[in-house]
């Protein structure tokens, strides 16, 4: 490449925008020429222009700047240019109305336009110091350097005064020298005393060869001891007795009867009587059917109480089982963290670690021991809840059989739905109530039919020494 071409590598495209304004003459664009002289030569009046900062972000859409509309020319790349190159420029024209897309780009000369921006013509002109052909690249100045980060704060980092423990003194140990070795070990013993024993856990261990208590055993025990189950069972027996009584005839009446006493110095007529009401129209059968559904609903209530009790026992059983497992895992964690802490204290004694490392581990040990205490309390609470459900509040903790990670049984949705619709106590009770209502309605319709009243009597007439009998029968007449 020649020296002339090398000097003209930095060149820029100057953009001239020509518009037709209301009441303004049309300006024709100057001829496209090479050289500064051709750029300076123009017969048309000078257009108002603003030269923008070369570091400005290139515009891709018309932009209003203090009442002017600036249009950025297409950006092309060029080789680096020396500082003496011509300054980049963007021609800006006054905004004569709302920014709208320009119409057809042809037919400039000699015509006036409506009072709006009607036409914009963009021409490019090479600005250079020689006649070398234009290149295809424009270079902008680099962006400004970013601001330096704020200076880091220096000084000692102190714990806020209002925070609990902020007044505690930092542990300081004597230097590890032969003369101060004993004093250093003594200070370490003061700073890091031995850990207290964890103590026994409330979870009992199963006896050798004997398994724990299963959930089925607990459910059976709860059914034997639950007062709710006993009350529901008594309710079943009461409704059963009412069902039997509803189908029986009313009890007969037996009595003594005497007539014409002391007549002619005799005992008169001595005897007795027997009364019985005969229920008609099958009302006894209907009454027994009504009582039967009460008996069946009492059985369903007992069944519901058993299911609810079993569900509660099962929930409390698994809660106690999870709490026991939590105690076991928490004890392992507490023991492991204590071992790590003791090793770290040994490293401090040997001068292989700083005291703050052991202090941090001691905090971890304290947290793990706190978690163990909380796990023990949760186990005791869960066991007391289970004992209360079993109606045995004084029952001591007992080993439980089973595992918390046991696989769950798999069920088929359709089979479960069919079983629920066939055996659910609420649905069965509702069906019984509907059938009972039908029988009760039929019974009330037959109740106006009168029952048969009868009275049978027998007497011994002492006056004539003869035996006689009589019978009376009647019905209730509705008035």
């Amino acid at each position: 490449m020649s020296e002339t071409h090398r000097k003209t590598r930095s060149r820029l495209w100057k953009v001239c925008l020509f518009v037709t304004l209301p009441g303004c003459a049309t300006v024709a664009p100057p001829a496209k020429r090479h050289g500064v002289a051709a750029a300076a030569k123009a017969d048309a009046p000078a257009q108002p222009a603003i030269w923008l900062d070369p570091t400005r972000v290139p515009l891709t859409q018309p932009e209003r700047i203090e009442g002017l509309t600036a249009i950025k020319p297409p950006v092309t790349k060029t080789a680096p240019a020396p500082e003496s190159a011509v300054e980049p420029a963007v021609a800006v024209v006054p905004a004569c109305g709302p920014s709208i897309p320009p119409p057809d780009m042809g037919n400039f000369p000699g015509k006036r336009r409506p009072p709006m921006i009607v036409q914009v013509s963009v021409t490019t002109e090479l600005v250079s110091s020689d006649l070398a052909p234009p290149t295809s690249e424009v270079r902008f100045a680099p962006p400004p350097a970013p601001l330096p980060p704020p200076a880091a704060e220096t000084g000692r980092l102190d714990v806020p005064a209002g925070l609990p423990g902020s007044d505690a003194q930092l542990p300081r140990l004597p230097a590890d020298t032969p003369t101060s070795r004993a004093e250093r070990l003594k200070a370490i013993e003061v700073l890091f005393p031995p850990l207290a024993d964890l103590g026994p856990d409330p979870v009992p261990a199963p006896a050798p060869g004997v398994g724990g208590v299963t959930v089925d055993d607990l459910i059976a025990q709860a059914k034997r001891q639950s007062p709710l189950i006993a009350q529901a069972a008594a309710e079943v027996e009461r409704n059963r007795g009412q069902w039997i009584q509803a189908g029986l005839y009313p009890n007969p009446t037996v009595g003594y009867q005497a007539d014409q006493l002391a007549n002619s110095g005799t005992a008169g007529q001595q005897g007795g009587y027997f009364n019985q009401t005969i229920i008609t129209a099958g009302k006894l059968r209907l009454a027994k059917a009504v009582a039967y559904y009460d008996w069946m609903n009492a059985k369903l209530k007992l069944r519901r109480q058993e299911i609810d009790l079993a569900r509660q026992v099962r929930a409390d059983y698994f809660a106690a089982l999870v709490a026991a497992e939590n105690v076991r895992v928490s004890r392992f964690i507490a023991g492991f963290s204590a071992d790590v802490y003791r090793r770290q204290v040994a490293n401090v004694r040997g001068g292989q670690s700083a005291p703050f490392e052991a202090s941090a581990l001691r905090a971890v040990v304290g947290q793990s021991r706190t978690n163990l205490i909380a796990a023990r309390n949760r186990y005791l609470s869960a066991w007391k809840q289970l004992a209360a459900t079993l109606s045995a509040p004084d029952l001591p903790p007992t080993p439980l059989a089973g595992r918390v990670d046991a696989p769950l049984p798999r069920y088929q949705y359709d089979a479960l739905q069919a079983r629920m619709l066939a055996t659910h106590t609420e649905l069965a009770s509702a069906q019984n109530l509907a059938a009972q209502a039908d029988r009760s309605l039929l019974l009330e319709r037959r109740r106006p039919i009168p029952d048969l009243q009868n009275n049978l009597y027998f007497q011994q007439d002492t006056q004539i020494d003869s035996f006689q009998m009589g019978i009376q029968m009647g019905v209730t007449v509705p008035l």
Side-chain angles (χ1 to χ4, degrees), residues 24 29 48 84 88 108 125 145 152 188 207 227 249 291 313 336 353 416 419 451:
C24 299
S84 60
F108 262 92
E125 189 174 28
I188 291 176
Y249 274 89
V313 170
F336 178 72
S353 63
L416 288 178
R419 179 181 176 84
D451 298 329

Side-chain angles (χ1 to χ4, degrees), residues 334-397:
F336 178 72
S337 60
D339 291 341
V340 175
Y341 167 74
R342 294 188 188 97
R343 292 175 183 269
Q344 191 65 32
V345 172
N347 291 337
V348 174
R349 290 194 187 98
Q352 299 179 0
S353 63
F356 72 87
E357 298 177 342
S359 299
L361 282 177
R362 189 176 182 88
V364 175
V365 171
Q367 183 178 6
S368 63
R369 291 185 169 222
T370 302
N371 293 337
L372 176 60
I373 295 174
R376 291 173 176 176
N377 293 337
R378 284 194 295 268
Y379 171 77
L380 292 176
S381 176
W383 180 260
K384 290 181 179 179
Q385 181 65 39
L386 176 60
T389 306
L390 298 176
S391 300
D394 298 332
L395 183 67

Side-chain angles (χ1 to χ4, degrees), residues 1 4 16-17 87 109 122 158 161 164 199 203-204 209 276 315 327 340 351 355 368 394 417 446 457-458 472:
M1 181 181 297
T4 302
C16 301
L17 294 91
E87 183 180 6
V122 179
D158 295 329
V203 182
Q276 176 65 54
V327 171
V340 175
S368 63
D394 298 332
Q417 185 183 27
R446 294 186 182 182
Y457 68 93
F458 54 91
Q472 297 176 349

Side-chain angles (χ1 to χ4, degrees), residues 122-207:
V122 179
T123 60
T124 58
E125 189 174 28
L126 180 63
V127 180
S128 179
S129 57
D130 53 22
L131 299 179
T135 59
S136 61
E137 187 174 4
V138 175
R139 179 179 178 84
F140 291 95
L147 297 176
E153 297 183 1
T154 59
R156 178 178 175 178
L157 179 62
D158 295 329
V159 180
L163 192 65
S166 59
D167 55 346
Q169 300 294 329
L170 296 177
R172 299 186 182 279
L173 297 178
D176 190 7
T177 61
T179 57
S180 60
R181 181 68 176 175
E183 182 181 0
R184 177 182 175 86
L185 294 178
K186 184 178 180 180
I188 291 176
E189 292 297 332
V190 173
L191 289 175
F192 308 109
L195 298 173
D197 185 45
L198 292 175
D201 292 330
V203 182

